[in-house]
Amino acid sequence: MNDAIKTQVSAFVDGELPDNESELLLRRLSQDFDLSQQAAEYFAIGRAMRGHRGVKGIERLRYRC
């Protein structure tokens, strides 16, 4: 996984990725197990850091994977 993809996943997890890019990333996540695991880790880290139970975008990720 290259740095550009990691940055894109991080922006998605933070709710900062534009919708059109999110759709493309979601397609890629549904086809790439390692990348989807990385996204899940980012979500978990974000939740832990923020103390939130829900994170914007997690339902779309779950729906697609």
Side-chain angles (χ1 to χ4, degrees), residues 42-61:
Y42 284 2
F43 273 115
I45 291 166
R47 282 192 307 267
M49 289 177 63
R50 292 181 200 72
H52 291 167
R53 293 185 178 190
V55 175
K56 181 181 174 184
I58 191 89
E59 290 305 319
R60 289 183 4 194
L61 180 60

Side-chain angles (χ1 to χ4, degrees), residues 11-57:
F12 174 76
V13 168
D14 291 340
E16 298 173 352
L17 195 65
D19 287 342
N20 61 331
E21 290 182 45
S22 293
E23 289 300 319
L24 293 172
L25 180 63
L26 285 168
R27 266 189 247 140
R28 185 168 183 172
L29 288 168
S30 71
Q31 298 171 357
D32 186 331
F33 179 77
D34 291 333
L35 186 60
S36 67
Q37 289 300 306
Q38 184 69 53
E41 288 179 27
Y42 284 2
F43 273 115
I45 291 166
R47 282 192 307 267
M49 289 177 63
R50 292 181 200 72
H52 291 167
R53 293 185 178 190
V55 175
K56 181 181 174 184

